[in-house]
Amino acid sequence: MTKPLNVIELECSACGKKYDPATEQHLCTCGRPLLARYDLMGAKATLTPENLKTRPRTLWRYAEVLPNDPPVSLGEGMTPLVHAKRLCASISIRCPSGGLENLYVKDEGLNPTGSFKARGMTTAVSRAKQLGAKALAAPTAGNAGGALAAYAAAAGLPAVIVMPADTPSANVMECQAFGAKVVKLNGLISDCGKYVAEHKDREGWYDVSTLKEPYRIEGKKTMGYELWEQFGGKLPDVIIYPTGGGVGLIGMCKAFDEMQEMGWIGTERPRMVAVQAKGCAPIVRAWEAHEDSAQFFQNATTIASGLRVPGPLGDLLMLSMLRRTNGTAIAVADNEMLRAGRELASLEGIFGAPEGAATVAAARLLAMAGWIQRSDSVVLFNTGTGYKYSEAWQRALQV
Ligand SMILES: *Cc1c(COP(=O)(O)O)cnc(C)c1O
Ligand SMILES: [Zn+2]
């Protein structure tokens, strides 16, 4: 052991039961995800705007609120926040409520392996290595597999990636290039998750599935810290986020709670918008039906592979966070994503993933409906690069 672990305890997000972070932990006995807790009063003393000025431009700059393992890092985080003026103008045309003027795109496609999955994997793999994991395994809809395979390679650990047979080919190739073992199944990410759960004990795998270990959230929450820094010590009014497993949404809301406890912000919160695909929208359905939990979404299908998560484990957390922040949930059809993606690329020079493009379509719908006001500052998350989605974009050129 080097320094003692700065994570004081792991706490169940549903029942509050506590777990020891010094040993390997996955879900609570009640079946729900665990969240890492820190000494925030201690963190606050050194995590200051002054100190941040001189820190490395990766997410590890927020060391006090991350597990303090030696980082397995590829330079993730501190992605650009682009003021999307031309996109604003385009959305504002014929918009009865006046359109938008403060629209920004956080371009997560510039992370290692081309998606924000790198954020979660740098912290999860660093911790797993420190805990003595022998092999890492995860089900994936696409980008999580590529990121896990890359960070496992950087850590010198073997990885097993289980993915649907129709996952975008770039994701299959990158996993193979990183030296991971790839298992393809005829099914969805939920079936891949079952496969990992059934094999992990016998094979000695450390399960890095979404929310089934506590540290991917920790890496992803840094998107919230970065927004605070990039907006000069405040947060935007609205955050529009393409939601699959929900790690980013849960992570950012956790970051805001930590920031409030450290006195950085008050009780105000950005209104969080979960964007899903019409072909796989369990959270939108639950939101519209005023439910606390989501039902499994049958026959899920969408080109936005990262949104093809029919039964997310974080449903309770996501729905309560949307409520708490006065947010909303909205679904976008695949064709609308493709059209919006061409708009984002041709107006702003950002070639996004269909998931990221979905937030552009959602912003337009919410502006048209007057849910977003002209004066609101709005952040869209382009969660991945468009370069990995050649199958989807080939379709776009035909529509
Ligand atoms: C995984 C993924 C998502 C969904 O992310 P969550 O934080 O798990 O909801 C969105 N977009 C892309 C490109 C992804 O790879
Ligand atoms: Zn519990």
Side-chain angles (χ1 to χ4, degrees), residues 209-226:
S209 302
T210 300
L211 302 179
K212 289 192 185 167
E213 62 74 55
Y215 301 104
R216 281 172 65 180
I217 292 178
E218 295 306 291
K220 274 203 176 169
K221 80 180 179 188
T222 60
M223 294 188 290
Y225 281 93
E226 283 176 27

Side-chain angles (χ1 to χ4, degrees), residues 11-17 19 27-34:
E11 186 183 9
C12 175
S13 57
C15 74
K17 192 170 169 188
Y19 292 84
L27 290 175
C28 180
T29 48
C30 80
R32 291 291 172 176
L34 302 179

Side-chain angles (χ1 to χ4, degrees), residues 217-245:
I217 292 178
E218 295 306 291
K220 274 203 176 169
K221 80 180 179 188
T222 60
M223 294 188 290
Y225 281 93
E226 283 176 27
L227 285 181
W228 184 86
E229 262 200 273
Q230 290 175 318
F231 275 101
K234 53 187 199 303
L235 293 171
D237 297 310
V238 176
I239 294 177
I240 306 187
Y241 183 85
T243 304

